[in-house]
Amino acid sequence: MESIHLVTELLHFVIPYLIKQVQLIKGAPEQVRSLHSELQFIEKSLKQYESYDRIFMEDNTVQEWLIQIRSLVPETKGIFNTYKTAKHVQNQRTWPNRWLNAVPHVLELRDIGKRVKKMKKKIEEINSYKNKYCLESQVAKPKRNSEWLERQRREVEEENVEGFEVAIQQVTSMLLTKALTREVVSIVGTTGSGKTTLAKKIYRTMSKQFEHPAWAFVPSIYSMRDLLLDILKDLMPIGEETLKLDDVRLAQKLRNFLQGKKYLVVIDGVEETQLWETLRKEKVFPNENHGSRLLLTTRSTRVASLASSSRDHLHKMDPLDETSRWTLLKKLVFKDGRCYPELEHLGKQIATKCDGLPLAIVSLASLLDRDKRYGQWVDIISNVSWYLNQQDSPPCFGILDLTYHTTIPEHLRKCLLYLGAYPSGSEILARQVINLWVAEELVKDEGGSKAEEIAWRYLEDLFSLSLIEVVRKRSDGGIRKFRIHEIWRMFCVLKSERTGFLQIHTKFVSHSSNKTPWRLSIHHELRCILSNNQDYLPDICTLLCFHDRDSHDSKGSKLDFDRSPCLTVLDVGSTRVSKVDENIKRSCLLKYLKLNHPSLNRLPRTLFSLPNLQTLDIKNTCVMFPYLPSGIWGMQNLRHLLLPPYTMLPKRSDQSRKCLWHLQTLSTITPDGNTAALIFHSRFPSLIKLSLNSQEMENTKRCLERLYKLGCLQKLKIINRAVFPVPRTFPTSLVKVSLVKTDLAADDVMRMLEYLDHLQVLKLLKRSIRGPELEMKPNSFPQLRFLFMEEILVKTWRMGDGAMGILEELTITRCHELESLPKQLRHLHNIRHVKVNSPSHGLRRELEQLNVQQCEVQIHF
């Protein structure tokens, strides 16, 4: 009887528990859907509150509620992503494996159900606090404005900044002393004080007085090799042999070049004494009696004192005086510089509150320019005062935050914050940022426009708003590389961490808080994060690694995706990765994957079955794929595929008629007969950019014969020897064509390309064409704007009347057989730049006598 009673008691306890567990398991999908709906509501609420100007929300309880509710978003998304991953993994299994893994799958669903209930309870508690302590009257109504906000005036530093006249005279006099010895002058000042602006103005006016001028920028995490290369690039053409030199030999090459010459070198951003000590120790800049000068900008008085020849050669940036502040503000807000009388008193007060920092004035000017009513300016004065009195923010951040919320259009804000992930001074590759924005869904397809097209417009808008600085342009004039202004980068880091948008880990400091990071940017070795059992790894969605190239881990890191199943973006930068685990198949949410180190020579085939992957960039690895795995045909969301050389596409099975509908970039593939068939059957209907690494000329020719089937193709690059087909088979949609080492007959190239209606950029590089004569027929290349020729084997170049009628830029490099330029070039009305590097003797004599109006001619002998 006792045993029966014991069993009865046990069942009385166990049955309710089992029922509860079954309810958790069965209810998990519905609970997850409910939580997802709540997540969408939370995000919309946050978006609504973030549209309120923070300066109108001074109540601490409101701020605390926003912080707490925002901190739940990453974990809530993590739960939802875990459920999607578990469901995908189970569905991918065969029926026998589903039965074998039924118990682990059920237990996982049970755990997800528990997490959902716990999260919903947290949300209820936080909302109860808000209802209890936060009054609606404490939160101001948002100021809505449906119209596009006017763009900030750009190029401010060149034309608009006032008050530097005295500083220019002082620094110029320091540089133009009668001393023949090499002198060093330093400009010292805080962030945003105008050091770089002043240096640029001086460099622009004085560079012509020196035989060899050069400008270089030093990022906070710098490489001596990159710095030396930047200086050399301004002084001479750089070949492949120079790029292979180490620091010591580069320093020697620069020193040898400068010896016996009068030079002016500006180094912008020297913040460490060690950098100057290294340059001095290596004697990079010869100290001879030729009147050479060095100009440094720095925030450190210690660096300036160490580098400058004397205290007389140190210029300290003073804040703009009252008159200059007001003059600058007027010039930015009022086009004619004439302020309305009733606003002048208010405007002077606002200018005074900017503490004489040019960047602060520029930031406020766009806000004032939007609304020139008296009442609005009165409001701004009080708001700026509140911001400037904050004790926990660096100087000027309050004004930047005000500009962020009121001047930068809403759709650009998160795109701007994302740039805070990059280390200080980084030259950011525009194409990479565009693909990241799309993968993060910061930009989406809209109407008939692809997300990438919209993202490029967003990037141009950031430039127009003076938030980024273009470092290098593409051949068509677009942005290739850029930097975010340092003060804005610092703002983005602070703003991102306060809002939970992004967290930064550096080698010395972790800026993370107790909140679960949603996006994580690592500025040191990825191994340091992966080797620690971080609680946040299971919920993290974005992991970006910006690795210091000088501290590679010799063993490399193993990417184990079991620890971070919710990843949607993974960029390991130049981190040495030894192995990518087979369990990458669990990362079904992954949209962006970049592996960039040549030490990686193998990838699991399961990588090519990820259903949501949009960008796969493995072009710099040493992975050898004779043929890509056939699973790639199932990757229906793939948009950009960047591959290492000698990779071929897989054949489709006869039963499969799948197309890669969204694929826009395919680079670089080795064409074969199968590639030609795939092109012919339109398996890439949206392809915009194609790079071919030609290995067998006949196979390449067969592909080129079928290019007309790619109706969206805009950019084509062919590498290595090739043969053009006889009929004109290139699609008329082509905008850019690059030929590298193709060894094509010049006549064949002209015949194929000369009547492409939309061709704007033509690059003929490294023995791409040969023949005694390059002849352009009359009225050919009607839309060509940029022509680049490098090491082509052509002696004579002829042009018919009307050829290249709108050409803007011509670059000729090491074309040693080319003896002269066509006379018709002198009559082109749109040409603005002619650059010639290492010309032949005959061409050199002709260029020395060349006189083309409205055209800048640069010649490097």
Side-chain angles (χ1 to χ4, degrees), residues 339-400:
C339 175
Y340 305 153
E342 66 273 17
L343 294 178
E344 184 164 344
H345 178 65
L346 297 176
K348 289 181 178 179
Q349 289 185 54
I350 294 172
T352 299
K353 292 178 182 293
C354 291
D355 292 337
L357 289 177
L359 184 55
I361 296 172
V362 172
S363 299
L364 261 184
S366 56
L367 176 64
L368 299 171
D369 192 24
R370 285 179 52 208
D371 194 335
K372 300 184 179 70
R373 292 177 300 171
Y374 184 90
Q376 177 67 12
W377 281 36
V378 170
D379 287 342
I380 289 173
I381 288 177
S382 59
N383 296 335
V384 171
S385 299
W386 183 82
Y387 259 61
L388 289 175
N389 288 330
Q390 293 187 94
Q391 299 300 316
D392 59 342
S393 298
C396 197
F397 271 34
I399 294 175
L400 295 180

Side-chain angles (χ1 to χ4, degrees), residues 147-186:
E147 298 180 359
W148 257 86
L149 299 171
E150 290 189 22
R151 294 178 174 182
Q152 286 184 333
R153 295 180 181 91
R154 70 187 193 189
E155 302 302 335
V156 169
E157 65 181 13
E158 294 189 10
E159 283 89 20
N160 292 323
V161 174
E162 301 284 339
F164 285 166
E165 292 80 11
V166 174
I168 290 173
Q169 292 177 4
Q170 291 174 345
V171 177
T172 300
S173 64
M174 295 177 189
L175 293 169
L176 293 181
T177 60
K178 296 181 179 180
L180 294 177
T181 56
R182 190 257 291 140
E183 302 287 343
V184 183
V185 176
S186 297

Side-chain angles (χ1 to χ4, degrees), residues 444-451 454 458:
K444 298 180 181 179
D445 293 338
E446 187 177 309
S449 299
K450 292 184 174 66
I454 299 171
Y458 284 8

Side-chain angles (χ1 to χ4, degrees), residues 194-237:
K195 301 184 300 295
T196 302
T197 301
L198 175 61
K200 282 186 176 180
K201 286 178 174 287
I202 293 170
Y203 180 76
R204 195 175 295 116
T205 57
M206 290 192 59
S207 57
K208 296 178 182 179
Q209 301 182 41
F210 291 81
E211 185 181 2
H212 298 281
W215 177 288
F217 168 77
V218 185
S220 59
I221 301 176
Y222 67 90
S223 160
M224 180 61 70
R225 184 175 182 277
D226 289 345
L227 174 62
L228 295 172
L229 277 173
D230 284 347
I231 298 172
L232 278 168
K233 286 175 183 177
D234 269 11
L235 297 171
M236 67 174 75

Side-chain angles (χ1 to χ4, degrees), residues 257-306:
F257 178 85
L258 293 176
Q259 279 180 344
K261 298 181 176 69
K262 182 180 181 181
Y263 59 84
L264 169 65
V265 177
V266 180
I267 308 180
D268 181 28
V270 183
E271 307 301 345
E272 294 181 9
T273 56
Q274 182 181 352
L275 170 58
W276 177 251
E277 289 286 7
T278 302
L279 293 172
R280 186 180 60 82
K281 182 179 178 181
E282 296 295 330
K283 298 180 180 178
V284 174
F285 302 105
N287 190 359
E288 301 172 312
N289 294 326
H290 299 292
S292 296
R293 299 290 184 264
L294 292 176
L295 178 61
L296 312 182
T297 71
T298 179
R299 294 193 298 264
S300 170
T301 55
R302 186 178 179 186
V303 169
S305 300
L306 181 68

Side-chain angles (χ1 to χ4, degrees), residues 735-752:
V735 174
K736 177 180 178 180
V737 174
S738 301
L739 305 177
V740 185
K741 302 178 182 178
T742 48
D743 193 33
L744 288 159
D747 289 345
D748 292 343
V749 174
M750 295 299 102
R751 174 180 46 78
M752 182 65 77

Side-chain angles (χ1 to χ4, degrees), residues 688-692 704 707 710 713-718 724 730-731 734-739 753 761 763:
I688 294 174
K689 182 177 180 179
L690 174 64
S691 294
L692 300 175
L704 298 180
L707 282 187
L710 301 176
L713 191 66
Q714 295 181 16
K715 298 180 181 181
L716 173 66
K717 185 175 185 178
I718 306 172
F724 274 3
F730 284 11
L734 280 173
V735 174
K736 177 180 178 180
V737 174
S738 301
L739 305 177
L753 305 179
V761 180
K763 290 188 170 185

Side-chain angles (χ1 to χ4, degrees), residues 453-490:
E453 297 170 355
I454 299 171
W456 279 111
R457 292 202 295 269
Y458 284 8
L459 189 63
E460 292 287 351
D461 288 340
L462 291 177
F463 173 61
S464 298
L465 290 165
S466 299
L467 300 171
I468 62 173
E469 174 188 7
V470 176
V471 175
R472 184 181 174 191
K473 292 187 176 182
R474 300 195 308 263
S475 52
D476 61 359
I479 301 173
R480 181 183 296 276
K481 288 184 178 182
F482 67 93
R483 288 193 195 99
I484 179 172
H485 292 300
E486 180 62 16
I487 197 166
W488 274 108
R489 189 197 69 84
M490 294 167 65

